Each structure stands twice: as C-alpha cells, then as structure tokens.
Amino acid sequence: MKICILFSLTFAYGFLGNGFSNANPLPYDAIFNFGDSISDTGNAATYNPTMPSNSPYGSTYFNHPSGRMSNGRLIIDFIAEAYGLPMLPPYLNLTKGQDITQGVNFAYAGSTALDKDFFMQQMLELDAASYSLSTQLEWFKKLKPSLCKSEECDSYFKNTLFIVGEIGGNDINAIIPYKNMSALREMVPLIVEAITNVITKLIEEGAVELVVPGNFPIGCNSAVLARVGSDKKEDYDQFGCLAAYNAFIEYYNRQLKKAIETLRQKNPHVKITYFDYYGAAKCLFQAPQQYGFSSGKIETFRACCGKGEPYGLSEQIYCGSVASMVCSDPSKRINWDGPHFTEAAYRLIAKGIVEGPFANPSLKSPPFKIA
Ligand SMILES: *[C@@H]1O[C@H](CO)[C@@H](O)[C@H](O)[C@H]1NC(C)=O
Ligand SMILES: *[C@@H]1O[C@H](CO)[C@@H](O)[C@H](O)[C@H]1NC(C)=O
C-alpha cells in the first residue's frame, strides 16, 4: 500500500524563520472565493437561516453558529490564516464601508456549477441553483468597481488569488438518485465547461492567479454511504468506501484537470493551480489513526452530528434539529454532518494543500504555519 503523506514536517515557510515584520509584504493581497457549502462562510445563512444557524454548528471554534456548514473553520479559513489574511467576509452580508480589499467570499451553500435552467429541464427543483457559479461571477463583477479602477486592477490582481471551487458536487448529488454511472458521466463535460467558462471570464476581468479544486472522494462520504450504501461487500474498497462512486469522481477530476491544462495553454500569462481535495481527503480515510481520527470500517465514516445507524445519519434527523445527537469529541471524527467535514478534517486538508503536495503547482510560500 502506498503511504499517504499529507504534509511534510520540514516544510519551509515564507518568512517565519526571522519573525514577522511589516517590511515583508504578504504573498497575497487578497483572496476571492467562489463555491458551495464547502467554502461558504455565511452567504446562504444571511438570508436563509436554516441548518448552519443552529447549534452545534460552529461549536468548536466560533462557539456559536457562524454560517459555516461545519463545527468550526473551513479549508478557506485555514488558507486565509496561512497567508496572514482575515477570514473572508460573505458577499451577501457586506455592510456599507466595510473593508473588502483583502477579499470577499461569494460561495453559497447548495450552489451548483450549472444554472437553474439545467435542473429545471431535468425536472429538479434546486433552490440554491439560483446562486450558481455564474451568479457568483456576476456578484464579483458588481463589486469590482469598488475594489479597483482600471489601471490599479492590474497591480492589485497581480497578488490576488481567485479560488473557484469546490463546485459541482451539488450538481452530482442532485442527479445521483436518477441516473446510473454511465449517464452520470455524460454530465461531467457540462459541469467542467461551466467551471471553465467562469475561469475564462475571471481571466478577462484581470485574474492572473487562480485555483481550481477538484471534487472529494464521495464514495467515502457518510451521506452517500448512508443513502446508497450496498449490502454487497464487493461494492466497497479495502478502506470501506464505495468504489464506483470514487471511480466516478476520479473520472470527473481527470476531465477537470484536462480542461485546466487547456486553459493554461490558452493563457500562458496566468497561473492556474489544481487543489487535489480527492487525494488529501483520501489520505484521512486510508490512515485515520495516523491523523488522530477514530478507525474501523464503520467508525471512520461515522458522522459526528445527526442520528441513525450505522453512519450516525438518517434522512429525517439532520444535524441541528432537536432530535439530532453530537459526538463527544468532534476532533476524532472526519465527517461532521453527512455531506460536510469537521474542522479537524478541513484543517488537515488545508495543510495538505498549503504545506503538502496537494496543490499543483504550489501556491506562493505561506508565511504562517496552519496551527
Ligand atoms: C452578518 O454580519 C453581522 C455584523 O455585521 C454579524 O453579526 C452576523 O453574524 C453576520 N452573519 C453572517 C451569516 O455571517
Ligand atoms: C443507463 O441509463 C441510460 C439512460 O439514462 C440507459 O440508456 C443505459 O442503458 C443505462 N445503462 C446501464 C448499464 O444500465
């Protein structure tokens, strides 16, 4: 078995060695983020205070629900921290006069890569598809004049990171119940094209450094295991994940990476980094003990918040509802509420991205270690 190394203990930091000084400018002036609940820091919660507005969401780090779909910080929070930037404020909750020069978050929980029309054609009612990736791009364009004026934008964007994703996971989730694997594969080019289109438009707007994260191993996801879990042993890999679902995501990520390569060739002045969320998350499922998580064919996959057997989940009792339960030590669980990870898992994935081998090519060297 290949050993999984999430990050190296001897990783070099930008200017940690000689201490932080104001003479050292930060590697990035700002981060603008687009995506879904994996990186939403409060957009969906601003107007639609549903699940993440209830305890125990936010209980680990913020001590109150923070609009994030986890018990604490998300990957995007840890990335901002590593680069000395404040946590990104959610676009829909910006107040007049708020300083936005260090970045804004457009990610919206439940958001899709494809627009609402696509799902309506499939007879699927998806409210959050109203906040699809193209809508988030429109929000950015509306905000841009208050960020920089034409000539200033070039120097400002030179040190600005644009993160587009993870997005597409909800498109896949919405379709899974209605399609077999081969029909699901036919959807992939549409999702990849939607992402590519937004990247291209951001480049037209002046972006020169972008990130595109791939998708997670959904075959290891507690919500997927609970919903479509099978009785047949041969449907699972040696770690307890549903093999066909992971194979589908591997296919999806390969298509996404091909599209990124094409974008790089078309835009040689632009740096596009791929975040391998699949590889980083897979590490946690393959060697849970090594990273401080409970281990065991079922234990590894048990959600911390919810109720039901065997994965701690059921359709009726969702995390944050009165009947739901919360585990005693969320830092020992990878999965938080079914679809989403715990802060402990997000922290390790962020380390794998920023300090480890899961960003290709790497971002600029981070000045701070992810604690
Ligand atoms: C929106 O901003 C206000 C303060 O300006 C804050 O109290 C509130 O928690 C924020 N809501 C979300 C969902 O981020
Ligand atoms: C998958 O579904 C499509 C229709 O969406 C059908 O034509 C095809 O035969 C199915 N394939 C399998 C292996 O069941």
Side-chain angles (χ1 to χ4, degrees), residues 40-47 53 64-68 89-90 92-95 98:
D40 184 355
T41 52
N43 280 311
T46 298
Y47 288 118
S53 301
H64 57 81
S66 75
R68 288 165 178 78
L92 294 176
N93 201 31
L94 291 177
T95 50
Q98 187 170 349

PDB file of all heavy atoms in Angstrom, residues 40-47 53 64-68 89-90 92-95 98, ligand 1:
ATOM      1  N   ASP A  40     -18.578  28.125   1.925  1.00  0.00           N
ATOM      2  CA  ASP A  40     -19.472  29.240   2.274  1.00  0.00           C
ATOM      3  C   ASP A  40     -19.218  29.664   3.720  1.00  0.00           C
ATOM      4  O   ASP A  40     -19.369  28.871   4.645  1.00  0.00           O
ATOM      5  CB  ASP A  40     -20.936  28.813   2.081  1.00  0.00           C
ATOM      6  CG  ASP A  40     -21.927  29.949   2.337  1.00  0.00           C
ATOM      7  OD1 ASP A  40     -21.500  31.048   2.763  1.00  0.00           O
ATOM      8  OD2 ASP A  40     -23.139  29.731   2.115  1.00  0.00           O
ATOM      9  N   THR A  41     -18.831  30.928   3.923  1.00  0.00           N
ATOM     10  CA  THR A  41     -18.578  31.429   5.279  1.00  0.00           C
ATOM     11  C   THR A  41     -19.750  32.275   5.786  1.00  0.00           C
ATOM     12  O   THR A  41     -19.594  33.036   6.737  1.00  0.00           O
ATOM     13  CB  THR A  41     -17.266  32.239   5.329  1.00  0.00           C
ATOM     14  OG1 THR A  41     -17.305  33.252   4.294  1.00  0.00           O
ATOM     15  CG2 THR A  41     -16.057  31.354   5.094  1.00  0.00           C
ATOM     16  N   GLY A  42     -20.913  32.166   5.137  1.00  0.00           N
ATOM     17  CA  GLY A  42     -22.092  32.850   5.672  1.00  0.00           C
ATOM     18  C   GLY A  42     -23.063  33.427   4.652  1.00  0.00           C
ATOM     19  O   GLY A  42     -24.040  34.064   5.038  1.00  0.00           O
ATOM     20  N   ASN A  43     -22.823  33.207   3.355  1.00  0.00           N
ATOM     21  CA  ASN A  43     -23.753  33.765   2.361  1.00  0.00           C
ATOM     22  C   ASN A  43     -25.144  33.152   2.466  1.00  0.00           C
ATOM     23  O   ASN A  43     -26.134  33.878   2.568  1.00  0.00           O
ATOM     24  CB  ASN A  43     -23.202  33.568   0.941  1.00  0.00           C
ATOM     25  CG  ASN A  43     -22.156  34.611   0.598  1.00  0.00           C
ATOM     26  OD1 ASN A  43     -22.372  35.813   0.796  1.00  0.00           O
ATOM     27  ND2 ASN A  43     -21.003  34.170   0.114  1.00  0.00           N
ATOM     28  N   ALA A  44     -25.230  31.836   2.433  1.00  0.00           N
ATOM     29  CA  ALA A  44     -26.549  31.194   2.484  1.00  0.00           C
ATOM     30  C   ALA A  44     -27.245  31.519   3.805  1.00  0.00           C
ATOM     31  O   ALA A  44     -28.452  31.742   3.845  1.00  0.00           O
ATOM     32  CB  ALA A  44     -26.416  29.682   2.311  1.00  0.00           C
ATOM     33  N   ALA A  45     -26.468  31.594   4.872  1.00  0.00           N
ATOM     34  CA  ALA A  45     -27.057  31.834   6.198  1.00  0.00           C
ATOM     35  C   ALA A  45     -27.577  33.260   6.356  1.00  0.00           C
ATOM     36  O   ALA A  45     -28.414  33.529   7.210  1.00  0.00           O
ATOM     37  CB  ALA A  45     -26.030  31.524   7.279  1.00  0.00           C
ATOM     38  N   THR A  46     -27.096  34.183   5.522  1.00  0.00           N
ATOM     39  CA  THR A  46     -27.513  35.575   5.667  1.00  0.00           C
ATOM     40  C   THR A  46     -29.007  35.750   5.404  1.00  0.00           C
ATOM     41  O   THR A  46     -29.695  36.437   6.163  1.00  0.00           O
ATOM     42  CB  THR A  46     -26.697  36.476   4.709  1.00  0.00           C
ATOM     43  OG1 THR A  46     -25.321  36.382   5.079  1.00  0.00           O
ATOM     44  CG2 THR A  46     -27.150  37.921   4.791  1.00  0.00           C
ATOM     45  N   TYR A  47     -29.522  35.140   4.343  1.00  0.00           N
ATOM     46  CA  TYR A  47     -30.935  35.318   4.007  1.00  0.00           C
ATOM     47  C   TYR A  47     -31.776  34.083   4.260  1.00  0.00           C
ATOM     48  O   TYR A  47     -32.986  34.116   4.180  1.00  0.00           O
ATOM     49  CB  TYR A  47     -31.081  35.724   2.539  1.00  0.00           C
ATOM     50  CG  TYR A  47     -30.625  37.127   2.304  1.00  0.00           C
ATOM     51  CD1 TYR A  47     -29.565  37.399   1.453  1.00  0.00           C
ATOM     52  CD2 TYR A  47     -31.242  38.184   2.965  1.00  0.00           C
ATOM     53  CE1 TYR A  47     -29.126  38.685   1.257  1.00  0.00           C
ATOM     54  CE2 TYR A  47     -30.812  39.475   2.776  1.00  0.00           C
ATOM     55  CZ  TYR A  47     -29.749  39.732   1.918  1.00  0.00           C
ATOM     56  OH  TYR A  47     -29.324  41.004   1.736  1.00  0.00           O
ATOM     57  N   SER A  53     -27.449  27.725  11.080  1.00  0.00           N
ATOM     58  CA  SER A  53     -27.698  28.750  12.085  1.00  0.00           C
ATOM     59  C   SER A  53     -28.029  28.145  13.438  1.00  0.00           C
ATOM     60  O   SER A  53     -28.223  28.863  14.411  1.00  0.00           O
ATOM     61  CB  SER A  53     -28.836  29.657  11.626  1.00  0.00           C
ATOM     62  OG  SER A  53     -28.478  30.254  10.407  1.00  0.00           O
ATOM     63  N   HIS A  64     -20.359  29.607  18.416  1.00  0.00           N
ATOM     64  CA  HIS A  64     -21.747  29.884  18.023  1.00  0.00           C
ATOM     65  C   HIS A  64     -21.858  29.581  16.532  1.00  0.00           C
ATOM     66  O   HIS A  64     -20.833  29.558  15.836  1.00  0.00           O
ATOM     67  CB  HIS A  64     -22.116  31.348  18.306  1.00  0.00           C
ATOM     68  CG  HIS A  64     -21.212  32.330  17.622  1.00  0.00           C
ATOM     69  ND1 HIS A  64     -21.359  32.692  16.296  1.00  0.00           N
ATOM     70  CD2 HIS A  64     -20.113  32.993  18.061  1.00  0.00           C
ATOM     71  CE1 HIS A  64     -20.410  33.554  15.975  1.00  0.00           C
ATOM     72  NE2 HIS A  64     -19.640  33.750  17.015  1.00  0.00           N
ATOM     73  N   PRO A  65     -23.072  29.364  16.024  1.00  0.00           N
ATOM     74  CA  PRO A  65     -23.208  29.103  14.590  1.00  0.00           C
ATOM     75  C   PRO A  65     -22.644  30.281  13.796  1.00  0.00           C
ATOM     76  O   PRO A  65     -22.915  31.432  14.134  1.00  0.00           O
ATOM     77  CB  PRO A  65     -24.716  28.968  14.392  1.00  0.00           C
ATOM     78  CG  PRO A  65     -25.245  28.582  15.731  1.00  0.00           C
ATOM     79  CD  PRO A  65     -24.366  29.293  16.724  1.00  0.00           C
ATOM     80  N   SER A  66     -21.835  29.998  12.792  1.00  0.00           N
ATOM     81  CA  SER A  66     -21.121  31.076  12.099  1.00  0.00           C
ATOM     82  C   SER A  66     -21.499  31.135  10.631  1.00  0.00           C
ATOM     83  O   SER A  66     -20.834  31.813   9.853  1.00  0.00           O
ATOM     84  CB  SER A  66     -19.615  30.845  12.220  1.00  0.00           C
ATOM     85  OG  SER A  66     -19.255  29.800  11.335  1.00  0.00           O
ATOM     86  N   GLY A  67     -22.560  30.414  10.242  1.00  0.00           N
ATOM     87  CA  GLY A  67     -22.940  30.397   8.829  1.00  0.00           C
ATOM     88  C   GLY A  67     -22.141  29.380   8.036  1.00  0.00           C
ATOM     89  O   GLY A  67     -22.304  29.266   6.830  1.00  0.00           O
ATOM     90  N   ARG A  68     -21.258  28.654   8.718  1.00  0.00           N
ATOM     91  CA  ARG A  68     -20.466  27.623   8.037  1.00  0.00           C
ATOM     92  C   ARG A  68     -21.085  26.251   8.297  1.00  0.00           C
ATOM     93  O   ARG A  68     -21.554  25.982   9.406  1.00  0.00           O
ATOM     94  CB  ARG A  68     -19.035  27.626   8.582  1.00  0.00           C
ATOM     95  CG  ARG A  68     -18.211  28.810   8.153  1.00  0.00           C
ATOM     96  CD  ARG A  68     -16.968  28.909   9.020  1.00  0.00           C
ATOM     97  NE  ARG A  68     -16.096  30.008   8.628  1.00  0.00           N
ATOM     98  CZ  ARG A  68     -16.307  31.276   8.923  1.00  0.00           C
ATOM     99  NH1 ARG A  68     -17.365  31.632   9.619  1.00  0.00           N
ATOM    100  NH2 ARG A  68     -15.457  32.223   8.520  1.00  0.00           N
ATOM    101  N   PRO A  89     -15.099  37.781   4.367  1.00  0.00           N
ATOM    102  CA  PRO A  89     -16.492  38.108   4.682  1.00  0.00           C
ATOM    103  C   PRO A  89     -17.423  37.644   3.558  1.00  0.00           C
ATOM    104  O   PRO A  89     -17.064  37.733   2.387  1.00  0.00           O
ATOM    105  CB  PRO A  89     -16.474  39.642   4.772  1.00  0.00           C
ATOM    106  CG  PRO A  89     -15.317  40.071   3.928  1.00  0.00           C
ATOM    107  CD  PRO A  89     -14.299  38.960   4.007  1.00  0.00           C
ATOM    108  N   PRO A  90     -18.605  37.108   3.935  1.00  0.00           N
ATOM    109  CA  PRO A  90     -19.546  36.690   2.896  1.00  0.00           C
ATOM    110  C   PRO A  90     -20.155  37.899   2.165  1.00  0.00           C
ATOM    111  O   PRO A  90     -20.580  38.859   2.802  1.00  0.00           O
ATOM    112  CB  PRO A  90     -20.621  35.915   3.668  1.00  0.00           C
ATOM    113  CG  PRO A  90     -20.490  36.340   5.089  1.00  0.00           C
ATOM    114  CD  PRO A  90     -19.080  36.792   5.293  1.00  0.00           C
ATOM    115  N   LEU A  92     -22.947  38.541   0.623  1.00  0.00           N
ATOM    116  CA  LEU A  92     -24.329  38.977   0.858  1.00  0.00           C
ATOM    117  C   LEU A  92     -24.501  39.681   2.203  1.00  0.00           C
ATOM    118  O   LEU A  92     -25.519  40.313   2.443  1.00  0.00           O
ATOM    119  CB  LEU A  92     -25.286  37.773   0.770  1.00  0.00           C
ATOM    120  CG  LEU A  92     -25.407  37.125  -0.610  1.00  0.00           C
ATOM    121  CD1 LEU A  92     -26.308  35.891  -0.542  1.00  0.00           C
ATOM    122  CD2 LEU A  92     -25.946  38.116  -1.642  1.00  0.00           C
ATOM    123  N   ASN A  93     -23.511  39.567   3.057  1.00  0.00           N
ATOM    124  CA  ASN A  93     -23.602  40.177   4.387  1.00  0.00           C
ATOM    125  C   ASN A  93     -22.663  41.377   4.542  1.00  0.00           C
ATOM    126  O   ASN A  93     -22.410  41.834   5.649  1.00  0.00           O
ATOM    127  CB  ASN A  93     -23.292  39.120   5.454  1.00  0.00           C
ATOM    128  CG  ASN A  93     -23.833  39.490   6.822  1.00  0.00           C
ATOM    129  OD1 ASN A  93     -24.853  40.157   6.935  1.00  0.00           O
ATOM    130  ND2 ASN A  93     -23.127  39.067   7.871  1.00  0.00           N
ATOM    131  N   LEU A  94     -22.140  41.886   3.411  1.00  0.00           N
ATOM    132  CA  LEU A  94     -21.239  43.035   3.497  1.00  0.00           C
ATOM    133  C   LEU A  94     -22.032  44.263   3.934  1.00  0.00           C
ATOM    134  O   LEU A  94     -23.187  44.430   3.540  1.00  0.00           O
ATOM    135  CB  LEU A  94     -20.592  43.320   2.136  1.00  0.00           C
ATOM    136  CG  LEU A  94     -19.581  42.302   1.614  1.00  0.00           C
ATOM    137  CD1 LEU A  94     -19.103  42.709   0.219  1.00  0.00           C
ATOM    138  CD2 LEU A  94     -18.389  42.156   2.562  1.00  0.00           C
ATOM    139  N   THR A  95     -21.403  45.105   4.728  1.00  0.00           N
ATOM    140  CA  THR A  95     -22.061  46.341   5.120  1.00  0.00           C
ATOM    141  C   THR A  95     -21.351  47.512   4.454  1.00  0.00           C
ATOM    142  O   THR A  95     -20.180  47.407   4.074  1.00  0.00           O
ATOM    143  CB  THR A  95     -22.035  46.527   6.648  1.00  0.00           C
ATOM    144  OG1 THR A  95     -20.699  46.327   7.101  1.00  0.00           O
ATOM    145  CG2 THR A  95     -22.955  45.530   7.328  1.00  0.00           C
ATOM    146  N   GLN A  98     -17.486  48.623   4.677  1.00  0.00           N
ATOM    147  CA  GLN A  98     -16.649  47.520   5.161  1.00  0.00           C
ATOM    148  C   GLN A  98     -15.419  47.368   4.268  1.00  0.00           C
ATOM    149  O   GLN A  98     -15.513  47.499   3.045  1.00  0.00           O
ATOM    150  CB  GLN A  98     -17.476  46.228   5.144  1.00  0.00           C
ATOM    151  CG  GLN A  98     -16.777  45.045   5.771  1.00  0.00           C
ATOM    152  CD  GLN A  98     -17.713  43.852   5.955  1.00  0.00           C
ATOM    153  OE1 GLN A  98     -18.944  43.968   5.794  1.00  0.00           O
ATOM    154  NE2 GLN A  98     -17.158  42.715   6.288  1.00  0.00           N
TER     155      GLN A  98
HETATM  156  C1  LIG B   1     -23.536  39.357   9.239  1.00  0.00           C
HETATM  157  O1  LIG B   1     -22.842  40.478   9.795  1.00  0.00           O
HETATM  158  C2  LIG B   1     -23.180  40.796  11.122  1.00  0.00           C
HETATM  159  C3  LIG B   1     -22.364  42.003  11.560  1.00  0.00           C
HETATM  160  O2  LIG B   1     -22.153  42.901  10.537  1.00  0.00           O
HETATM  161  C4  LIG B   1     -22.895  39.631  12.022  1.00  0.00           C
HETATM  162  O3  LIG B   1     -23.326  39.914  13.338  1.00  0.00           O
HETATM  163  C5  LIG B   1     -23.608  38.381  11.504  1.00  0.00           C
HETATM  164  O4  LIG B   1     -23.217  37.272  12.279  1.00  0.00           O
HETATM  165  C6  LIG B   1     -23.239  38.128  10.065  1.00  0.00           C
HETATM  166  N1  LIG B   1     -23.993  36.988   9.566  1.00  0.00           N
HETATM  167  C7  LIG B   1     -23.421  36.002   8.874  1.00  0.00           C
HETATM  168  C8  LIG B   1     -24.321  34.899   8.456  1.00  0.00           C
HETATM  169  O5  LIG B   1     -22.241  35.986   8.586  1.00  0.00           O
END
